[in-house]
Amino acid sequence: MSTIHAEVKSHIAAQGYTLTQIVQEMNKSRPPDKQTTVQNISNKLTRGTIKYSEIIEIAEIIGLSIKWM
C-alpha cells in the first residue's frame, strides 16, 4: 500500500467515513459524465496518481483542510 493511500484512508476512517461514502459525496457535485467510482479512487490512491484537486475535495468532505508548512 502506498504512503498516499495509507494516509488518505486513515484520515477518512478517523473522521468516521468510508471510501464509499466519500465517493457518493464527490459524485453529488459532479455531472453524470464526470462521476467516479470507489474502484477508480482506490486505484488512484494505490498508484499515487490521484489529482490534488481530488485530495482537496476529499479533505473538504471529511471536514479537514490541507495546510502547507
Side-chain angles (χ1 to χ4, degrees):
M1 187 181 305
S2 73
T3 303
I4 293 170
H5 186 269
E7 185 173 345
V8 172
K9 290 281 287 197
S10 70
H11 284 294
I12 289 171
Q15 297 301 316
Y17 288 87
T18 64
L19 192 54
T20 299
Q21 291 170 312
I22 296 302
V23 170
Q24 288 170 347
E25 288 298 314
M26 290 172 80
N27 285 335
K28 284 182 182 179
S29 63
R30 295 176 177 206
D33 64 325
K34 300 290 184 189
Q35 294 197 353
T36 190
T37 64
V38 172
Q39 187 65 44
N40 185 41
I41 296 297
S42 183
N43 287 342
K44 287 179 178 184
L45 287 169
T46 299
R47 290 188 308 262
T49 59
I50 192 161
K51 294 178 184 176
Y52 181 68
S53 62
E54 291 170 319
I55 293 293
I56 295 294
E57 190 176 2
I58 291 169
E60 288 175 355
I61 290 168
I62 64 175
L64 299 177
S65 61
I66 306 296
K67 182 179 178 182
W68 291 86
M69 311 244 339

